Amino acid sequence: MGKNYLFLVLIASLLISFNLHAQQNAISGIITDEAGPLPGVSVIEKGTSNGTVTDFDGRFTLNLQSNNSETIVITFMGYKTMEVPVVPGKSDYQINLESEVNQLDDVVVVGYGTEKRANLTGAVSTIEEKSIQGKPVTNAYQALQGESSGLIIQNTTSRPGSVPSINIRGISTINGNTPLIVVDGVISSLNNVNPNNIESISVLKDAASSAIYGSRAANGVILVTTKNGKEGKPKFQYRGSFGVQEPTNFPKYANSWEYATLRNEALINSGLSPAFTPEQIQDFRENGPNTYWNEEIYKDMALQSSHNLSVSGADNGLNYLLSLGYLDQESLFKGPEYGYERYNARMNISKEIGDKLTIGGRMSFARNDIKDHAYFEQWIVEPTLRIPPIYRILDENGDYTLPSGSNSNPLAQLEVGGTTRNQNDEFLGNFSIELRPTENITLRGVFGGNITSNKSHQFRKAIDFAYPGGGNNENSVTDNYYRSLYLNPYVTAAYDKTFGEKHDFNLLIGGSTEKFKDEFFGVTGIDIPGNDFGVISNAGDIQGANGSGSEWAIQSVFGKIGYSYDDRYQLNGNIRYDGSSRFSSENRWGVFPSVSAGWIISNEDFLKPIEDIVSFAKIRASWGQLGNQDINDLYGYQSLVGPGSNVYSFGGVGVSGSYYSVSNANRTWETSTMKNLGLDLSFFERKLDLTFEVFDNLTEDILLQLPVPATYGLGQPFQNAGSVRNRGWEVSMNYQFETGAVNHSFNFNLTDTKNEIEDLRGREFINGFDVNTILREGYSINSYYALKSNGYFNSEEEISNSATPLFVNDVDPGDIKYVDRNGDGQIDYENDRFILGNEFPRYTYGATYATNWNGFDFSIFVQGVGQRQQWLRGELVEAFHNNNEGPVYQRHLDRWTPQNLDASYPRLTVGAESVNNAAKSDFYIFDAQYLRIKNVQLGYSLPATAMQQMGIENIRLYLTGLNLATFSPLNDIGVDAENIDANGRIYPVSRIFSLGLDVNF
């Protein structure tokens, strides 16, 4: 920290001493583009012939002929001409030129290659480095949230080492919906990718763009490309940030005297005696305590920092990037230095040998060290939501208390209850060789894969409470070990040729194989002498040991063909032939084709008269099929023999034996048929870009476990029995403009997607305990299934004239009234439940505004969901849940009484009296839409002249805020809108303030 402080002081001193008036009529500066300094750029005083050009380092000095000069003109072939105002008293300028090249000529990474953006006929969106840069996130998933239409990421927790849920264009199957992630050509994940190493990300959303990946791409594909070096001398870069996290969205408790008042009221309403005297309630009002246990287990703040150093370059055919990264995220849980550390190392290197051969390799290593408590997270959080504020978490002697009805203390579990340590390693790499025997043919072979090794060690300590009756009095040790090996070699041959200047033709064929193998072993022991030295060899009793292993493989051949005529008409086709080890030899192989077409309307003569307004217009359409084999049952096409103890009983004694597993030899691929229609538009010389998409995805032959006759005796095999249709639309916009010397950009994306079950063979499936969901034809997957509330009973007369529940003995005024769906005069779960929405988000959106001026830059990014329902159960929403002593929250203060008939909560009760009001109904299904100010960033790049004196290319300082504010109906309850845990027993989403430093030299 001392070195960083001295470094910042040095920078500040240089700024203070920098002479902005070095030469009254002279100006100087540096001209760059995205790749760095530009030599040979023309700088001319407007209206004169007085000018100069930039040197090799992009720097210039120009003596103005007049003190009244207002503008300099910057021109360079291939870049847009800029007119820069001359500011009185300003002598140093930093000017960034924008390429004249049409953005539609940008190269986009697609399956097994690249394409010009203008030639795309499928649904592909890209996320550039600038969208990720500077965000104080701990993994790349978090950095992508809201940045692309159709990419739906839910960051449910900020727990160190956690990973958000992710899907593309919603849910299309009842089985796995996670997209395929390919990092530098190797199928992997984003968990361990250092965000600072990412150059670009392509999101492939329809069959036309992703069919080349066949059976692995039914849920879309995310292609991640890491950085390469750029021509010129070696470039060193340091990126670092230091920030603080703070917890958000604590539930809003009622204070002690309010709790005691409501507790008495609930007891009296339930026919019981009050628990607190008026004197006790008054004492609570005057003296407390008001101990909000949920807040007591978290720190007020936790530190977070990251450091990344890289060197890159390209010279004489050698292209290289070497990178090291370190992330340190402290946990907000109180305890002995809980947190997450990640170490990243990456080497990307390639070498051109002559003009026909290139060899290269990309290798990365990541280590994750996670230190956490030794308990299930719900065990820690749940009691803190239930314990009333009248109990202190520590007594006057500093001992951990044991409140009424509890035999443990969550703070004790965190601070002295032991730890869990996880060490997760991943090595990802590929070796490639590329041969270009002719100008039009490229042969490429890649051998890639990854190796993971995960170890966990948990030592749960016995806790010696000062209070009698405490639990947690047994210690234990658990060691688990997991490792996996994934190999993904492939070869491709590509041909590109233009005939007669108008006919562009390309062809690619290839083959690949995937092989995966993993193994697991775990052991648990108890009774560690002395509550120290928690190793398994010290265990007095081994409680259990278990192990497992699995293997699967896929073999594939694939090809794609493309044709374009006169930059107007485009036609593309893909096909992939996949064989999966998860199916029998008779059903193993599947063919997955796609076709797409595009028409660039703006290149037609009839649109030329308005080309100043409509710069680009293209319509495209695609159709294709993809397979899905993503089920956990790897070997269910064949019956397996499994040994077991106590399989038979002879003479009352258990005897070991064997049994056959359930199987279905006829099961085969799920097949998704995707249709997509897109429109791309650009206006006003490409300052405004718009894209519209509509899509329809029908997944058939979904693998389900349908009921079988009891006489079958082996359980329920997977069968191809269901179909789901997923429809939706997307819109994205990007607008760039200038006001004087200030540059502005605004982009926005909005997506809606909705699924519907079309066929379940006439069956329906009801799942869940506290929260019921249903699979039913005509409705969305896992829709909520519950009673529908209809206000409160306000009188005995109303009760006698209404349908009442069969599952309670009686109801009273102030209880919730339910809709009698079938009109039989009584309420029961079997006949009166409704389908009432689901937790999947609709109308997901993201918007970014960015501006820069005179070295300063500012951006604000908002992200949200326009429609979503969240069913909450438990102590967060129910007063005295499950007959617990408490607590109650502020939302319970507005409860039904004879004087408050229009209350937001029913009458307060405890025990059996609460059964009616705790019924599974829409009373506990909440509006979970939200708008979140996700990221705000303010930066300043130091003047180039000052940096030149230090031999530094540029230095940028910036302040960032993450998750600054959230606007949602759930804020009143104290639940984060992205939290998909129905009980709210989860580590909170954090707000982060961070200071960052970027240095290039």
Side-chain angles (χ1 to χ4, degrees), residues 634-654:
L634 299 180
Y635 313 111
Y637 64 88
Q638 57 185 332
S639 291
L640 306 177
V641 178
S645 59
N646 300 320
V647 175
Y648 303 101
S649 176
F650 291 99
V653 178

PDB file of all heavy atoms in Angstrom, residues 634-654:
ATOM      1  N   LEU A 634     -26.576 -40.448 -17.266  1.00  0.00           N
ATOM      2  CA  LEU A 634     -25.655 -40.705 -18.370  1.00  0.00           C
ATOM      3  C   LEU A 634     -25.841 -42.071 -19.011  1.00  0.00           C
ATOM      4  O   LEU A 634     -25.540 -42.243 -20.196  1.00  0.00           O
ATOM      5  CB  LEU A 634     -24.212 -40.587 -17.872  1.00  0.00           C
ATOM      6  CG  LEU A 634     -23.771 -39.233 -17.315  1.00  0.00           C
ATOM      7  CD1 LEU A 634     -22.316 -39.301 -16.882  1.00  0.00           C
ATOM      8  CD2 LEU A 634     -23.978 -38.136 -18.336  1.00  0.00           C
ATOM      9  N   TYR A 635     -26.298 -43.032 -18.243  1.00  0.00           N
ATOM     10  CA  TYR A 635     -26.285 -44.417 -18.747  1.00  0.00           C
ATOM     11  C   TYR A 635     -27.678 -45.045 -18.739  1.00  0.00           C
ATOM     12  O   TYR A 635     -27.823 -46.262 -18.771  1.00  0.00           O
ATOM     13  CB  TYR A 635     -25.354 -45.277 -17.896  1.00  0.00           C
ATOM     14  CG  TYR A 635     -24.007 -44.629 -17.628  1.00  0.00           C
ATOM     15  CD1 TYR A 635     -23.657 -44.194 -16.351  1.00  0.00           C
ATOM     16  CD2 TYR A 635     -23.102 -44.425 -18.656  1.00  0.00           C
ATOM     17  CE1 TYR A 635     -22.428 -43.592 -16.105  1.00  0.00           C
ATOM     18  CE2 TYR A 635     -21.874 -43.824 -18.425  1.00  0.00           C
ATOM     19  CZ  TYR A 635     -21.550 -43.400 -17.142  1.00  0.00           C
ATOM     20  OH  TYR A 635     -20.332 -42.802 -16.915  1.00  0.00           O
ATOM     21  N   GLY A 636     -28.714 -44.204 -18.728  1.00  0.00           N
ATOM     22  CA  GLY A 636     -30.067 -44.717 -18.560  1.00  0.00           C
ATOM     23  C   GLY A 636     -30.624 -45.471 -19.741  1.00  0.00           C
ATOM     24  O   GLY A 636     -31.747 -45.973 -19.669  1.00  0.00           O
ATOM     25  N   TYR A 637     -29.883 -45.571 -20.840  1.00  0.00           N
ATOM     26  CA  TYR A 637     -30.366 -46.372 -21.969  1.00  0.00           C
ATOM     27  C   TYR A 637     -30.108 -47.857 -21.751  1.00  0.00           C
ATOM     28  O   TYR A 637     -30.548 -48.693 -22.540  1.00  0.00           O
ATOM     29  CB  TYR A 637     -29.709 -45.912 -23.276  1.00  0.00           C
ATOM     30  CG  TYR A 637     -28.212 -46.101 -23.326  1.00  0.00           C
ATOM     31  CD1 TYR A 637     -27.662 -47.304 -23.770  1.00  0.00           C
ATOM     32  CD2 TYR A 637     -27.350 -45.082 -22.934  1.00  0.00           C
ATOM     33  CE1 TYR A 637     -26.291 -47.484 -23.824  1.00  0.00           C
ATOM     34  CE2 TYR A 637     -25.978 -45.265 -22.987  1.00  0.00           C
ATOM     35  CZ  TYR A 637     -25.452 -46.457 -23.427  1.00  0.00           C
ATOM     36  OH  TYR A 637     -24.083 -46.634 -23.460  1.00  0.00           O
ATOM     37  N   GLN A 638     -29.387 -48.205 -20.695  1.00  0.00           N
ATOM     38  CA  GLN A 638     -29.114 -49.610 -20.412  1.00  0.00           C
ATOM     39  C   GLN A 638     -29.284 -49.872 -18.916  1.00  0.00           C
ATOM     40  O   GLN A 638     -29.105 -48.983 -18.095  1.00  0.00           O
ATOM     41  CB  GLN A 638     -27.698 -49.979 -20.841  1.00  0.00           C
ATOM     42  CG  GLN A 638     -26.616 -49.129 -20.191  1.00  0.00           C
ATOM     43  CD  GLN A 638     -25.231 -49.429 -20.724  1.00  0.00           C
ATOM     44  OE1 GLN A 638     -24.962 -50.535 -21.168  1.00  0.00           O
ATOM     45  NE2 GLN A 638     -24.350 -48.425 -20.677  1.00  0.00           N
ATOM     46  N   SER A 639     -29.667 -51.081 -18.590  1.00  0.00           N
ATOM     47  CA  SER A 639     -29.821 -51.465 -17.186  1.00  0.00           C
ATOM     48  C   SER A 639     -28.461 -51.780 -16.592  1.00  0.00           C
ATOM     49  O   SER A 639     -27.683 -52.545 -17.169  1.00  0.00           O
ATOM     50  CB  SER A 639     -30.742 -52.683 -17.061  1.00  0.00           C
ATOM     51  OG  SER A 639     -32.067 -52.335 -17.388  1.00  0.00           O
ATOM     52  N   LEU A 640     -28.185 -51.208 -15.451  1.00  0.00           N
ATOM     53  CA  LEU A 640     -26.924 -51.425 -14.757  1.00  0.00           C
ATOM     54  C   LEU A 640     -27.164 -52.253 -13.512  1.00  0.00           C
ATOM     55  O   LEU A 640     -28.210 -52.166 -12.865  1.00  0.00           O
ATOM     56  CB  LEU A 640     -26.289 -50.083 -14.367  1.00  0.00           C
ATOM     57  CG  LEU A 640     -26.081 -49.076 -15.503  1.00  0.00           C
ATOM     58  CD1 LEU A 640     -25.509 -47.783 -14.951  1.00  0.00           C
ATOM     59  CD2 LEU A 640     -25.166 -49.651 -16.573  1.00  0.00           C
ATOM     60  N   VAL A 641     -26.188 -53.047 -13.176  1.00  0.00           N
ATOM     61  CA  VAL A 641     -26.255 -53.849 -11.967  1.00  0.00           C
ATOM     62  C   VAL A 641     -25.554 -53.098 -10.852  1.00  0.00           C
ATOM     63  O   VAL A 641     -24.391 -52.699 -10.983  1.00  0.00           O
ATOM     64  CB  VAL A 641     -25.591 -55.232 -12.165  1.00  0.00           C
ATOM     65  CG1 VAL A 641     -25.620 -56.034 -10.867  1.00  0.00           C
ATOM     66  CG2 VAL A 641     -26.301 -55.989 -13.284  1.00  0.00           C
ATOM     67  N   GLY A 642     -26.264 -52.883  -9.740  1.00  0.00           N
ATOM     68  CA  GLY A 642     -25.692 -52.161  -8.614  1.00  0.00           C
ATOM     69  C   GLY A 642     -25.737 -52.988  -7.343  1.00  0.00           C
ATOM     70  O   GLY A 642     -26.775 -53.567  -7.015  1.00  0.00           O
ATOM     71  N   PRO A 643     -24.618 -53.061  -6.620  1.00  0.00           N
ATOM     72  CA  PRO A 643     -24.613 -53.796  -5.353  1.00  0.00           C
ATOM     73  C   PRO A 643     -25.196 -52.936  -4.234  1.00  0.00           C
ATOM     74  O   PRO A 643     -25.200 -51.705  -4.302  1.00  0.00           O
ATOM     75  CB  PRO A 643     -23.126 -54.069  -5.113  1.00  0.00           C
ATOM     76  CG  PRO A 643     -22.436 -52.906  -5.770  1.00  0.00           C
ATOM     77  CD  PRO A 643     -23.287 -52.539  -6.958  1.00  0.00           C
ATOM     78  N   GLY A 644     -25.692 -53.567  -3.214  1.00  0.00           N
ATOM     79  CA  GLY A 644     -26.225 -52.842  -2.067  1.00  0.00           C
ATOM     80  C   GLY A 644     -26.272 -53.731  -0.844  1.00  0.00           C
ATOM     81  O   GLY A 644     -26.319 -54.964  -0.939  1.00  0.00           O
ATOM     82  N   SER A 645     -26.234 -53.099   0.312  1.00  0.00           N
ATOM     83  CA  SER A 645     -26.366 -53.854   1.564  1.00  0.00           C
ATOM     84  C   SER A 645     -27.838 -53.945   1.951  1.00  0.00           C
ATOM     85  O   SER A 645     -28.651 -53.104   1.566  1.00  0.00           O
ATOM     86  CB  SER A 645     -25.573 -53.172   2.675  1.00  0.00           C
ATOM     87  OG  SER A 645     -26.022 -51.849   2.873  1.00  0.00           O
ATOM     88  N   ASN A 646     -28.176 -54.975   2.694  1.00  0.00           N
ATOM     89  CA  ASN A 646     -29.547 -55.182   3.174  1.00  0.00           C
ATOM     90  C   ASN A 646     -30.567 -55.198   2.038  1.00  0.00           C
ATOM     91  O   ASN A 646     -31.675 -54.685   2.165  1.00  0.00           O
ATOM     92  CB  ASN A 646     -29.925 -54.103   4.192  1.00  0.00           C
ATOM     93  CG  ASN A 646     -29.016 -54.118   5.403  1.00  0.00           C
ATOM     94  OD1 ASN A 646     -28.637 -55.178   5.897  1.00  0.00           O
ATOM     95  ND2 ASN A 646     -28.658 -52.933   5.881  1.00  0.00           N
ATOM     96  N   VAL A 647     -30.162 -55.774   0.899  1.00  0.00           N
ATOM     97  CA  VAL A 647     -31.091 -55.894  -0.220  1.00  0.00           C
ATOM     98  C   VAL A 647     -32.138 -56.970   0.061  1.00  0.00           C
ATOM     99  O   VAL A 647     -33.308 -56.826  -0.301  1.00  0.00           O
ATOM    100  CB  VAL A 647     -30.321 -56.210  -1.521  1.00  0.00           C
ATOM    101  CG1 VAL A 647     -31.273 -56.460  -2.686  1.00  0.00           C
ATOM    102  CG2 VAL A 647     -29.358 -55.070  -1.849  1.00  0.00           C
ATOM    103  N   TYR A 648     -31.734 -58.038   0.733  1.00  0.00           N
ATOM    104  CA  TYR A 648     -32.643 -59.133   1.088  1.00  0.00           C
ATOM    105  C   TYR A 648     -32.608 -59.336   2.592  1.00  0.00           C
ATOM    106  O   TYR A 648     -31.690 -58.889   3.288  1.00  0.00           O
ATOM    107  CB  TYR A 648     -32.232 -60.431   0.387  1.00  0.00           C
ATOM    108  CG  TYR A 648     -32.158 -60.329  -1.120  1.00  0.00           C
ATOM    109  CD1 TYR A 648     -30.928 -60.189  -1.758  1.00  0.00           C
ATOM    110  CD2 TYR A 648     -33.320 -60.377  -1.894  1.00  0.00           C
ATOM    111  CE1 TYR A 648     -30.855 -60.101  -3.137  1.00  0.00           C
ATOM    112  CE2 TYR A 648     -33.240 -60.279  -3.274  1.00  0.00           C
ATOM    113  CZ  TYR A 648     -32.017 -60.150  -3.895  1.00  0.00           C
ATOM    114  OH  TYR A 648     -31.941 -60.055  -5.243  1.00  0.00           O
ATOM    115  N   SER A 649     -33.619 -59.998   3.070  1.00  0.00           N
ATOM    116  CA  SER A 649     -33.682 -60.348   4.493  1.00  0.00           C
ATOM    117  C   SER A 649     -33.938 -61.844   4.630  1.00  0.00           C
ATOM    118  O   SER A 649     -34.900 -62.370   4.076  1.00  0.00           O
ATOM    119  CB  SER A 649     -34.802 -59.557   5.176  1.00  0.00           C
ATOM    120  OG  SER A 649     -34.925 -59.946   6.520  1.00  0.00           O
ATOM    121  N   PHE A 650     -33.050 -62.506   5.336  1.00  0.00           N
ATOM    122  CA  PHE A 650     -33.199 -63.936   5.615  1.00  0.00           C
ATOM    123  C   PHE A 650     -33.141 -64.132   7.116  1.00  0.00           C
ATOM    124  O   PHE A 650     -32.150 -63.776   7.762  1.00  0.00           O
ATOM    125  CB  PHE A 650     -32.092 -64.747   4.930  1.00  0.00           C
ATOM    126  CG  PHE A 650     -32.209 -64.779   3.427  1.00  0.00           C
ATOM    127  CD1 PHE A 650     -31.435 -63.925   2.647  1.00  0.00           C
ATOM    128  CD2 PHE A 650     -33.095 -65.641   2.794  1.00  0.00           C
ATOM    129  CE1 PHE A 650     -31.534 -63.944   1.270  1.00  0.00           C
ATOM    130  CE2 PHE A 650     -33.189 -65.660   1.419  1.00  0.00           C
ATOM    131  CZ  PHE A 650     -32.411 -64.810   0.646  1.00  0.00           C
ATOM    132  N   GLY A 651     -34.230 -64.656   7.652  1.00  0.00           N
ATOM    133  CA  GLY A 651     -34.268 -64.882   9.087  1.00  0.00           C
ATOM    134  C   GLY A 651     -34.161 -63.586   9.882  1.00  0.00           C
ATOM    135  O   GLY A 651     -33.604 -63.584  10.987  1.00  0.00           O
ATOM    136  N   GLY A 652     -34.680 -62.488   9.304  1.00  0.00           N
ATOM    137  CA  GLY A 652     -34.626 -61.214  10.009  1.00  0.00           C
ATOM    138  C   GLY A 652     -33.275 -60.536   9.939  1.00  0.00           C
ATOM    139  O   GLY A 652     -33.065 -59.510  10.590  1.00  0.00           O
ATOM    140  N   VAL A 653     -32.354 -61.075   9.147  1.00  0.00           N
ATOM    141  CA  VAL A 653     -31.017 -60.504   9.028  1.00  0.00           C
ATOM    142  C   VAL A 653     -30.823 -59.972   7.603  1.00  0.00           C
ATOM    143  O   VAL A 653     -31.111 -60.671   6.628  1.00  0.00           O
ATOM    144  CB  VAL A 653     -29.929 -61.560   9.342  1.00  0.00           C
ATOM    145  CG1 VAL A 653     -28.542 -60.961   9.169  1.00  0.00           C
ATOM    146  CG2 VAL A 653     -30.102 -62.101  10.747  1.00  0.00           C
ATOM    147  N   GLY A 654     -30.336 -58.701   7.493  1.00  0.00           N
ATOM    148  CA  GLY A 654     -30.097 -58.115   6.198  1.00  0.00           C
ATOM    149  C   GLY A 654     -28.943 -58.786   5.480  1.00  0.00           C
ATOM    150  O   GLY A 654     -27.915 -59.097   6.082  1.00  0.00           O
TER     151      GLY A 654
END
